[in-house]
Amino acid sequence: MTEKITGAEAMMRALEHEGVDVLFGYPGGSIMPTYDALYDHKKTLNHILVRHEQGAVHAAQGYARVSGKVGCAIVTSGPGATNTVTGIADAMIDSTPMVVICGQVGVAMLGTDAFQEVDVVGVTSPISKWSYQIRRAEDVAWAVARAFYIAKSGRPGPVVLDFAKNAQTGMVAYEPAKVDFIRSYDPEPDVNMTDIERAAKMINNSVKPFVLVGQGVELGNAQEELRTFLEKADLPCGTTFLGLSAIPSDHRLNMGILGMHGNLGPNVMTNQCDLLIAIGMRFDDRVTGNLATYAKQARIIHFDIDRAEFNKNVPVDLTVWGNCKDTLTAVTKLVDEAKHTSWIEGFKPYAEKEYEKVIDKALHPTEGPLLMGEVIRKVSEAANNEGIMVTDVGQNQLMACRYFKFTKPRSVVTSGGLGTMGYGLPAAIGATFGAPDRTVCLFVGDGGLQMTIQELGTIMEQGAPVKIILLNNNFLGNVRQWQEMFFAHRYSFTPMLNPNYELIAKGYGIPAKTVIERKDLDGAIAEMLATPGPYLLQCAIKEEDNVLPMTPPGANIDEMLLEIK
């Protein structure tokens, strides 16, 4: 006779069956039976106790981004569940595979406004790939298998399991379940060779092709396929922020970053190319600028695994549906070996102009306060350009994406589509568990750090080796920059009165140092990287340091400002 176990124990076994090794969570009343079952699985399921449920989901995101696995978070009902909403929405728009398990009151109490009851499925359905309420212990194995299949297949994303308390305590004869097919869900379509042949013909006939590289390349593990494709056809490319590490920063065909705070050359040449080839990206407004003038001279091919992205923002001439690992392999076989030397050379004058007007000044100041760019580049180089870059949101994010350099894939952990302040610290914790052999460098501002500063307690307890580089300018810097540019220097509620961050870090047992003078920076970075475990390096940044170039909101993407007058 098959052994009967509780639904909570079945949940533990189902998670193990899916290969879960790390859980980020916070216990509470409605999830307590599951936490009791977890007590007997501590050797196989490493539970990381965060200090706030938002920290759990962001940590699961950071883990997923660098490992390529599904991140997993577990919380209680009511406020525990609602505290995960920001992270779920963030994971949805950034295509991060994650399963969030929320406790829920028993089925008999649903709809009675019971203590800590919230309609979790109703709240999370619009911001997740799938949201499901487990009402019976018999449904645990199936629900978990389906959840992980949906989260990691096709375009990845978050799944929410609302785990009723009676389903946790009920008894079931557990057997592992496997889900690899769902009717009407086609996550991995077959390659359409007609579309591939049309794409190859368009590429072969192009004189001025330009490739837009998005995170889909990383999610599809297609970094080598991308490089082979680019090199065979001699195609210059630009990357989105989330696609930064899909190709090494110093690759000869990597022209830089796309979009509002990207590089001048890629944005100008977007409106000069004759063929635009978008791979695993969604034409976000921060990439395109004014849609009315975006790449109107070019024919456009869009490679993506999500059909919903086709023609959503930018009308295209050809769509190629599928996993880019497969579609790039197929099209590479048909494209001609080519040379686009004169076209590629055309990017150089813009790169030189940007270097002279912006980059040189950001990286090599000779006087005045520290600048964000110089700090970020020095950290990157001290880590041999092999580190994982985690950012919060704001100027720290934009500068880090511009000046950190990448040589390895899956090295970017940042909140792209939602722009979640407070994301950085817990996401960096998750990254240390997802890639324990790599150096995790977190760039964070004084505003964002305070939004989830309690997660220093998680770092203290776990010894998570996060290297925290606090770029402190005593402002909500990005909002301040917009106020300077568009609101006549009216700094409405953006100056920050900050605490003693070094003292706070030391209170959590985290070594810390503050750098004010430029002459002390190199030594402090070396000390940070040489110190085992976590470290907080606070850098006193010029208060009105600005992120440039910048395409003003609503402007054409090639109308970039190189200075603020």
Side-chain angles (χ1 to χ4, degrees), residues 2-14 31-38 40-41 134 136-141 163-175:
T2 305
E3 173 195 15
K4 284 201 170 186
I5 58 176
T6 65
E9 173 65 20
M11 175 64 73
M12 296 301 100
R13 297 188 189 185
I31 198 67
M32 206 174 296
T34 298
Y35 266 85
D36 184 66
L38 180 58
D40 295 324
H41 292 259
I134 304 176
R136 306 183 310 157
E138 293 93 325
D139 297 332
V140 170
F163 199 9
K165 198 166 186 179
N166 64 284
Q168 298 174 51
T169 57
M171 304 301 289
V172 61
Y174 170 77
E175 290 186 9

Side-chain angles (χ1 to χ4, degrees), residues 108-426:
M109 300 183 71
L110 288 171
T112 68
D113 292 331
F115 179 67
Q116 293 192 332
E117 180 195 357
V118 166
D119 180 3
V120 173
V121 173
V123 168
T124 61
S125 289
I127 55 170
S128 62
K129 281 190 76 176
W130 185 51
S131 186
Y132 179 75
Q133 188 173 79
I134 304 176
R135 296 187 169 205
R136 306 183 310 157
E138 293 93 325
D139 297 332
V140 170
W142 169 84
V144 171
R146 184 180 172 103
F148 276 80
Y149 173 64
I150 291 173
K152 66 188 176 184
S153 60
R155 180 179 181 174
V159 170
V160 178
L161 293 177
D162 190 34
F163 199 9
K165 198 166 186 179
N166 64 284
Q168 298 174 51
T169 57
M171 304 301 289
V172 61
Y174 170 77
E175 290 186 9
K178 181 180 180 181
V179 173
D180 56 13
F181 171 77
I182 298 173
R183 189 175 60 185
S184 80
Y185 176 56
D186 190 7
E188 297 284 342
D190 294 333
V191 176
N192 184 320
M193 287 307 300
T194 300
D195 291 339
I196 294 294
E197 290 166 2
R198 289 179 61 197
K201 184 177 181 180
M202 291 170 68
I203 294 167
N204 291 337
N205 290 335
S206 173
V207 177
K208 298 186 291 184
F210 187 43
V211 177
L212 312 182
V213 177
Q215 188 193 196
V217 173
E218 296 261 63
L219 296 173
N221 296 312
Q223 298 90 346
E224 287 303 316
E225 287 79 5
L226 171 71
R227 191 185 305 198
T228 302
F229 169 65
L230 296 176
E231 291 174 351
K232 181 178 181 182
D234 201 34
L235 303 171
C237 72
T239 72
T240 65
F241 278 172
L242 296 185
L244 275 168
S245 62
I247 182 170
S249 301
D250 62 356
H251 193 284
R252 70 175 184 84
L253 293 171
N254 187 349
M255 301 295 116
I257 307 169
L258 305 162
M260 175 179 281
H261 285 291
N263 295 114
L264 180 62
N267 286 323
V268 170
M269 299 305 244
T270 293
N271 280 0
Q272 293 186 14
C273 66
D274 63 6
L275 180 66
L276 204 61
I277 307 161
I279 304 173
M281 55 88 71
R282 56 188 178 84
F283 291 108
D284 177 73
D285 60 283
R286 289 296 175 97
V287 167
T288 64
N290 182 6
L291 285 172
T293 60
Y294 181 76
K296 291 302 179 183
Q297 80 295 336
R299 302 183 75 193
I300 302 176
I301 305 172
H302 192 177
F303 290 77
D304 210 282
I305 200 166
D306 185 359
R307 283 187 295 184
E309 293 300 337
F310 293 146
N311 299 301
K312 185 177 79 175
N313 296 326
V314 175
V316 304
D317 297 276
L318 177 64
T319 61
V320 182
W321 183 35
N323 188 323
C324 58
K325 192 176 186 71
D326 300 326
T327 55
L328 284 177
T329 298
V331 79
T332 300
K333 293 177 181 178
L334 301 181
V335 296
D336 298 334
E337 291 192 15
K339 288 293 179 185
H340 296 103
T341 305
S342 60
W343 166 239
I344 293 171
E345 287 291 317
F347 285 81
K348 287 187 177 180
Y350 298 106
E352 291 168 356
K353 182 178 181 181
E354 182 181 348
Y355 185 86
E356 177 189 351
K357 296 284 188 179
V358 178
I359 298 174
D360 188 41
K361 295 175 182 178
L363 298 183
H364 307 114
T366 56
E367 58 184 8
L370 291 171
L371 302 181
M372 288 179 277
E374 64 175 318
V375 173
I376 292 160
R377 180 60 62 84
K378 284 180 178 290
V379 171
S380 179
E381 291 176 346
N384 299 315
N385 296 325
E386 295 179 347
I388 291 172
M389 178 202 78
V390 185
T391 82
D392 204 77
V393 167
Q395 288 183 319
N396 61 88
Q397 173 189 41
L398 305 173
M399 286 291 201
C401 288
R402 283 184 56 81
Y403 294 115
F404 203 83
K405 295 300 176 184
F406 304 94
T407 57
K408 294 184 175 182
R410 292 194 175 274
S411 297
V412 176
V413 182
T414 192
S415 174
L418 199 62
T420 303
M421 287 182 68
Y423 172 94
L425 187 61

Side-chain angles (χ1 to χ4, degrees), residues 445-447 450 472-475 495-501 504 538:
D446 42 305
Q450 291 192 74
N472 189 348
N473 56 14
N474 296 303
F475 268 100
M496 295 280 288
L497 178 62
N498 280 310
N500 187 327
Y501 289 109
I504 290 172
Q538 177 177 217

